């Protein structure tokens, strides 16, 4: 017996699951989100929202909500004076937004609910079975083993966005290969008597300890609260070992080589970080996204951002297939997002290893080369674009597969047109509208070609507007004008 039937069942009400649910509900699909935790977690590890993610939020009318409550960090200051300079980014958001993940969660939750998604908290998935037509999911109240309290959902597709310890991943039998790379990392929100000068995010890595500070800015009226991350090579203990305020104060001062005067510690946590990625994001009618598909070092702040972009890539494809597109389109989720996840693991891992180098000669070489390389404009922009997500693309060459955000239009911005969730045809400058009933259209002001922009903001086709298709459903890497 089936208690509920929906088009898509999303497991996990974090930023990844909420993005997918909102996008699918916006497209008119029935969506239920099951979240095992009965209440929202007021504390979270993620605090950095990158430029590309802000563009994704802007295309849903949400960017202003989160921008108003965070600090706009124009650069990340690394060891020995090296810095990642974001001020040259080709984006409306040439900075990293520092704000608690709860702000992003709240905006995405409002979005999903406003579009009609049904969010059910305190409900844990127990069993999953799929066949040729759909997926049956059994779920019940968290920590309640009474079979009488369980219900069954039937859906065409399931998105597992239930985090690093994903139940959905376990139920589909997907491995999670990888390894632990850092242990006994501590996060805390700290109030400082006087923080670092110069603005931005600050990383200090003298060898045996690691210190990191990110100001909360406008989220913090008196400007004294920071998110701190610290690590001590000489004190490696299990995650469940209590974190004492004195430990935070001591390691932060040694890491930064400065005592900034910790006045208060409001929240603290100890954890370890793994580098893991599932081999397949798709398992029949079940898809893994966000931390359920990949986890990595917190260095670089990529986790939440990558998950949101997983969801934006996947949701429109599920909607298209539900609307009659070839089901092979769903395989492009793996083809496009798995390489991105792999790249994020690599670059986050490289940053973590660089920050925790122990041999003195290796640290000396790092401190010598990093500042010099990051002052070269081409290297500066390459690193900043990869860090911010603005240069990540699908496919290897040409316009197809690149983000379309910065195409200048005669009227308005592309992210405003994208708020309907539809494809957008951007015509060449001076060309009249084409015959395409229901197609959103705009005219560009530069000399570029016509492009068809997918609902996730990436170019799916480029050529002459006279030959523009009604919509694109093939992989980005295989389409050209």
């Amino acid at each position: 017996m089936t208690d509920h039937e929906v088009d898509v069942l999303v497991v996990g009400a974090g930023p990844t699951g909420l993005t997918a649910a909102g996008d699918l509900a916006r497209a008119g699909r029935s969506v239920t989100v099951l979240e095992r935790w009965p209440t929202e977690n007021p504390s979270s590890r993620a605090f950095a929202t990158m430029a590309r993610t802000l563009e994704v939020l802007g295309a849903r009318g949400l960017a202003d909500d989160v921008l108003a409550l965070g600090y706009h960090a124009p650069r990340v200051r690394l060891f020995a004076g090296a810095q990642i300079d974001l001020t040259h980014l080709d984006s409306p958001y040439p900075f990293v937004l520092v704000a608690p993940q709860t702000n992003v969660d709240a905006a995405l939750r409002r979005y999903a609910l406003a579009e009609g998604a049904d969010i059910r908290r305190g409900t844990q998935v127990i069993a999953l079975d799929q066949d040729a037509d759909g997926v049956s999911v059994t779920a019940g109240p968290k920590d309640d083993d009474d079979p009488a309290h369980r219900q069954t959902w039937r859906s065409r597709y399931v998105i597992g966005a239930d985090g690093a310890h994903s139940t959905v991943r376990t139920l589909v039998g997907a491995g999670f290969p990888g390894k632990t790379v850092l242990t006994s990392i501590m996060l805390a929100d700290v109030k400082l008597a006087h923080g670092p000068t110069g603005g931005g995010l600050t990383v200090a890595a003298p060898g045996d300890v690691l210190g990191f500070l990110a100001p909360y800015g406008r989220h913090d009226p008196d400007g004294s609260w920071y998110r701190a991350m610290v690590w001590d090579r000489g004190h490696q203990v299990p995650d469940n070992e209590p974190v004492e305020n004195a430990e935070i104060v001591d390691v932060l001062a040694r890491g930064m080589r400065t005592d900034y005067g910790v006045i208060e510690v409001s929240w603290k946590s100890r954890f370890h970080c793994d580098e893991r990625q599932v081999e397949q994001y798709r398992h029949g009618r079940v898809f893994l996204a966000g931390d359920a598909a990949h986890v990595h070092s917190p260095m670089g702040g990529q986790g939440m951002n990558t998950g949101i972009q997983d969801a934006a890539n996947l949701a429109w494809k599920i909607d298209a297939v539900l609307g009659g597109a070839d089901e092979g389109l769903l395989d492009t989720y793996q083809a496009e997002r798995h390489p991105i996840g792999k790249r994020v693991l690599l670059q986050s891992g490289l940053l973590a290893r660089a920050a925790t180098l122990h041999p003195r000669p290796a640290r000396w070489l790092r401190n010598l080369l990093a500042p010099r390389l990051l002052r070269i404009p081409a290297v500066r922009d390459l690193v900043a674009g990869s860090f911010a997500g603005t240069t990540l693309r699908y496919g290897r060459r040409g316009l197809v597969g690149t983000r379309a955000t910065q195409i200048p239009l005669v009227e308005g911005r592309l992210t405003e047109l994208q708020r309907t969730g539809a494809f957008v045809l951007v015509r060449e400058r001076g060309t009249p509208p084409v015959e395409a009933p229901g197609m959103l259209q705009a005219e560009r002001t530069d000399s570029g070609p016509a492009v068809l922009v997918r609902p996730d903001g990436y170019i799916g086709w480029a050529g002459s507007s006279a030959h523009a298709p009604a919509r694109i459903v093939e992989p980005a890497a295989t389409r050209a004008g």
Side-chain angles (χ1 to χ4, degrees):
M1 177 180 175
T2 298
D3 300 294
H4 310 278
E5 291 192 10
V6 293
D7 292 324
V8 183
L9 189 69
V10 177
V11 182
T16 302
L18 292 172
T19 301
D23 284 6
L24 284 159
R26 179 178 64 176
R29 305 302 174 185
S30 58
V31 185
T32 293
V33 182
L34 303 182
E35 169 56 56
R36 65 176 174 266
W37 296 107
T39 59
E40 296 178 12
N41 186 352
S43 302
S44 55
R45 295 175 184 169
F47 56 87
T49 307
M50 302 300 173
R52 178 58 194 148
T53 304
L54 289 168
E55 293 172 3
V56 171
L57 296 176
R60 288 147 183 81
L62 306 176
D64 291 345
D65 292 355
V66 297
L67 285 169
L69 296 173
Y71 173 73
H72 302 182
R75 58 189 57 84
V76 180
R77 295 187 297 164
L78 303 172
F79 23 78
Q83 66 177 16
I84 300 175
D85 185 354
L86 304 172
T87 60
H88 300 275
L89 284 177
D90 181 27
S91 171
Y93 312 107
F95 49 81
V96 53
L97 178 74
V98 180
Q101 180 187 320
T102 49
N103 292 5
V104 178
D105 288 347
L108 288 167
R109 183 183 67 254
R110 291 193 296 269
Y111 166 62
L113 290 172
E115 296 295 346
D118 177 22
I119 301 175
R120 304 199 178 198
R121 302 194 68 90
T123 303
Q124 63 182 2
V125 171
I126 299 166
L128 179 152
D129 181 56
Q130 59 177 311
D131 53 43
D133 299 317
V135 188
S136 295
V137 173
T138 303
K142 186 178 183 295
D143 300 325
D144 185 344
D145 295 328
D146 188 344
H149 296 159
R150 297 174 181 175
Q151 294 183 314
T152 300
W153 272 263
R154 179 72 176 173
S155 64
R156 295 281 300 280
Y157 298 99
V158 168
I159 298 175
D162 50 341
H165 303 288
S166 170
T167 298
V168 173
R169 186 182 65 234
T170 299
L171 290 173
V172 298
F176 206 28
K179 61 184 178 181
T180 297
V181 291
L182 283 177
T183 60
S184 202
I185 304 167
M186 293 174 286
L187 285 181
D189 286 343
V190 298
K191 185 175 185 178
L192 303 180
H194 46 88
T197 60
L201 285 67
T202 303
V203 179
D208 289 329
V209 290
L210 170 70
F212 171 87
L213 286 171
Y216 276 135
R218 281 181 284 181
H219 178 68
D220 164 31
D222 64 6
S224 58
W225 281 97
Y226 290 74
R227 168 59 60 86
M229 181 169 66
V230 294
W231 173 81
D232 183 354
R233 190 187 307 276
H235 188 60
Q236 297 292 290
V237 296
D239 291 354
N240 59 5
E241 184 79 12
V243 181
E244 302 296 337
N245 288 358
E247 185 180 4
I248 296 288
V249 172
D250 172 63
V251 181
L252 182 62
R254 286 192 288 130
M256 291 293 179
R257 292 182 171 175
T258 302
D259 185 355
Y260 290 119
V262 178
I263 300 171
E264 183 181 346
V265 179
S266 71
W267 170 82
K268 53 198 174 184
S269 173
R270 191 190 306 273
F271 69 101
H272 69 279
C273 74
D274 290 351
E275 288 178 350
R276 300 183 185 277
Q277 185 180 27
V278 295
E279 293 181 357
Q280 293 294 324
Y281 285 13
R282 182 185 184 184
H283 296 262
R285 291 180 170 271
V286 180
F287 300 85
L288 300 173
D291 287 354
H294 45 75
V295 293
H296 46 79
S297 161
M299 300 296 291
Q302 299 296 318
M304 176 185 70
N305 296 274
T306 306
I308 288 173
Q309 291 166 54
D310 285 347
N313 181 283
L314 176 60
W316 76 266
K317 295 173 179 178
I318 291 179
D319 170 56
V321 171
L322 288 171
D326 190 299
E327 191 165 321
L329 174 64
L330 298 176
D331 291 330
T332 70
Y333 172 60
Q334 163 79 16
E336 293 184 342
R337 292 306 299 174
H338 192 278
I340 298 295
K342 186 175 182 180
R343 178 172 174 175
V344 168
L345 259 72
L346 175 62
Q347 65 187 27
S348 296
L350 286 174
L351 187 54
R353 288 164 175 81
T356 56
L357 281 173
H358 186 52
R360 187 181 297 273
R363 297 202 312 272
W364 177 84
L365 187 61
R366 175 198 69 187
N367 295 344
L368 175 69
L369 294 179
R372 288 167 171 76
L373 287 173
L374 287 172
R375 282 195 290 267
I376 301 172
V379 176
R380 175 200 68 197
D381 294 344
L382 177 66
V383 172
S386 183
F387 177 78
T390 54
T391 57
L392 298 181
R393 58 165 297 152
Y394 306 132
R396 298 194 175 190
R397 60 180 65 86
L399 282 175
V400 175
T402 60
R403 68 192 242 287
T405 307
Q406 292 297 82
I407 296 176
L409 305 180
V410 171
E411 293 187 35
R413 297 189 62 85
L414 182 60
T415 50
E416 296 168 350
L417 292 177
Q418 287 182 277
R419 291 175 187 175
T420 64
F423 285 80
V424 179
L425 174 63
V426 180
R427 307 185 310 273
E428 304 100 313
R429 182 179 59 194
T431 58
V434 303
E435 285 293 329
M439 170 72 75
L440 282 177
Q441 298 188 36
E443 180 186 341
R444 65 191 301 164
T445 61
D446 61 10
S447 59
V451 297
L452 189 62
V453 183
R454 309 182 331 183
D456 61 354
Y458 288 83
I459 295 173
W461 169 91
S464 166
S465 57
H467 301 101
R471 68 190 308 197
I472 295 294
V473 295
E474 288 85 351
T478 65
R479 291 289 305 197

